[in-house]
Amino acid sequence: MEIWINPACSKCRSAISLLDAEGAEYTVRRYLEDVPSEDEIREVLDRLGLEPWDITRTQEAAAKELGLKEWARDDSSRDRWITALAEHPKLIQRPIITADDGSALVGRTEDAVRDAMARK
């Protein structure tokens, strides 16, 4: 299992604390430093079963500068969103946990983190 985190994020710190408390084996990826490629973002989106706009933090300054709220949310715009996430990783919702069963989820709640740990 891998968890994409921003150490400054309280939800990320909570997820890590829970994983540690449960003795889970995982790898940390500080995605602001080890920025995911467009292909990695596509793979995670496929595992999440979501679209890029579903995991975009639209309140971030970069999102406002780019005007993301006005961008189309359709298949023809998908690559544009993915490029924006790769170029501005702070826009990626966090934490994202890739589970051992090949799925992934956004671990913003204790229940979501426990769900990730249960996926074998």
Side-chain angles (χ1 to χ4, degrees), residues 2-82:
E2 182 176 79
I3 182 169
W4 292 9
I5 68 159
N6 173 353
C9 168
S10 63
K11 300 286 186 186
C12 293
R13 291 191 307 270
S14 294
I16 293 290
S17 293
L18 180 57
L19 291 171
D20 288 344
E22 296 294 326
E25 291 185 24
Y26 63 92
T27 303
V28 170
R29 180 171 187 170
R30 293 177 181 226
Y31 71 94
L32 297 179
E33 299 163 16
D34 182 8
V35 179
S37 68
E38 290 183 25
D39 285 341
E40 288 174 305
I41 292 170
R42 281 186 189 87
E43 179 187 339
V44 163
L45 287 167
D46 288 345
R47 292 174 76 169
L48 287 165
L50 297 173
E51 294 297 336
W53 45 86
D54 296 327
I55 65 162
T56 300
R57 299 173 55 85
T58 58
Q59 297 304 314
E60 292 288 337
K64 291 176 181 176
E65 288 171 21
L66 293 169
L68 287 182
K69 285 192 175 185
E70 283 73 49
W71 288 14
R73 296 177 181 214
D74 57 27
D75 285 345
S76 65
S77 301
R78 191 171 198 264
D79 286 342
R80 182 182 187 199
W81 282 85
I82 290 169

